[in-house]
Each structure stands twice: as structure tokens, then as C-alpha cells.
Amino acid sequence: MQRTASAHWSGGLKDGKGTVSTQSGVLTQTQYSFSTRFENGIGTNPEELIAAAHAGCFTMALSAQLGNAGMTAESIDTTATLSLDKTDAGFSITKVHLDVKAKIPNADKAKFDEAAQNAEKGCPVSRVLKAEITMSAQLVS
């Protein structure tokens, strides 16, 4: 399986602007720029898209792990907070924190915790990122 996305950029770093698009068409010439990446401009940026991909990937992986443990979630909500920091090597993604809230009727806390840890380690996006990945996972009612 292969998935593609593309980017287009015109101009210099600070005065230029670009767009990103995905094969599925969910993103079609979606705007990004220096201000959307390093300030608070309107549009997206690569780090936000990585965070969204990580949250989505992890959430599906957790659903699978819960199924393996005999549990089905009523809901799982994951927020991925990605940190982009200036390092000696330049700007780097230094960590991602996953904040997970799962509603699971009659959940076994120990099995939930194990499923969450397995999902974090097994999620393909977790494995591709060369960054510290942390997570907090909690059951909510």
C-alpha cells in the first residue's frame, strides 16, 4: 500500500506561500506558509499534519488492541501535541505527547493500560517518528 501527498511552494521562506494536497482529495491545495508554521497564520503546517496523523493512527491502533483484550470502546479521543524546537541541528520535532480519553463500558484498567502501551509502540506513525513520544491515557465515564 502506498499513499501520496504533495506540496507546492512559491517565493522565499518568509514571504512565500504554499499548498499541500492529498491523494484522497481531503486536502486540496490547502494553504500553508511561514506564518502558519511559526506564527498564528490561517492555514495548516507540516507539524500539525503529523500530529493529526499520529492521533488518528494511534486511536485506530488502540481500538485494535482493545479488541484483542476483549474490550470495545464506546469512544476514544486522542490529542497529539507535537513539539518543534530549535536544536543544534536546526528545527526538529523533539517530542509528541498523546492525551487519550477512552470510554469503555466495564473496562479492566490493567488491560486498558496494556492496550494503550501496545498501541503507542505498534502505531506505524509512532514508529516512523524519531522523537520522544509520550502519552497519558485515561478512562472517562
Side-chain angles (χ1 to χ4, degrees), residues 1-6 21-25:
M1 168 177 30
Q2 292 183 327
R3 299 288 185 259
T4 61
S6 60
S21 300
T22 58
Q23 175 183 352
S24 67

Side-chain angles (χ1 to χ4, degrees), residues 5-62:
S6 60
H8 171 80
W9 188 264
S10 296
L13 174 63
K14 291 191 176 184
D15 65 344
K17 53 188 164 181
T19 60
V20 291
S21 300
T22 58
Q23 175 183 352
S24 67
V26 170
L27 298 177
T28 303
Q29 296 184 350
T30 301
Q31 173 187 316
Y32 79 109
S33 65
F34 184 88
S35 71
T36 65
R37 193 166 189 191
F38 298 106
E39 298 165 0
N40 290 316
I42 296 171
T44 192
N45 59 70
E47 292 75 25
E48 178 181 65
L49 296 171
I50 291 169
H54 199 183
C57 180
F58 169 83
T59 302
M60 288 182 76
L62 178 55

Side-chain angles (χ1 to χ4, degrees), residues 12-141:
L13 174 63
K14 291 191 176 184
D15 65 344
K17 53 188 164 181
T19 60
V20 291
S21 300
T22 58
Q23 175 183 352
S24 67
V26 170
L27 298 177
T28 303
Q29 296 184 350
T30 301
Q31 173 187 316
Y32 79 109
S33 65
F34 184 88
S35 71
T36 65
R37 193 166 189 191
F38 298 106
E39 298 165 0
N40 290 316
I42 296 171
T44 192
N45 59 70
E47 292 75 25
E48 178 181 65
L49 296 171
I50 291 169
H54 199 183
C57 180
F58 169 83
T59 302
M60 288 182 76
L62 178 55
S63 179
Q65 289 294 323
L66 290 170
N68 292 342
M71 295 184 281
T72 301
E74 186 176 307
S75 64
I76 304 169
D77 294 292
T78 305
T79 300
T81 302
L82 182 147
S83 295
L84 180 70
D85 295 305
K86 187 161 175 108
T87 67
D88 292 341
F91 282 99
S92 299
I93 295 170
T94 55
K95 58 185 163 183
V96 177
H97 177 76
L98 300 173
D99 186 31
V100 184
K101 292 181 174 64
K103 186 173 183 179
I104 307 167
N106 305 312
D108 178 308
K109 174 77 167 111
K111 286 183 179 180
F112 169 75
D113 289 343
E114 182 179 0
Q117 291 302 319
N118 289 341
E120 189 274 318
K121 289 181 183 98
C123 163
V125 174
S126 291
R127 289 186 286 185
V128 77
L129 295 174
K130 292 185 178 182
E132 175 189 344
I133 299 169
T134 60
M135 174 183 60
S136 64
Q138 60 181 313
L139 289 169
V140 294
S141 49

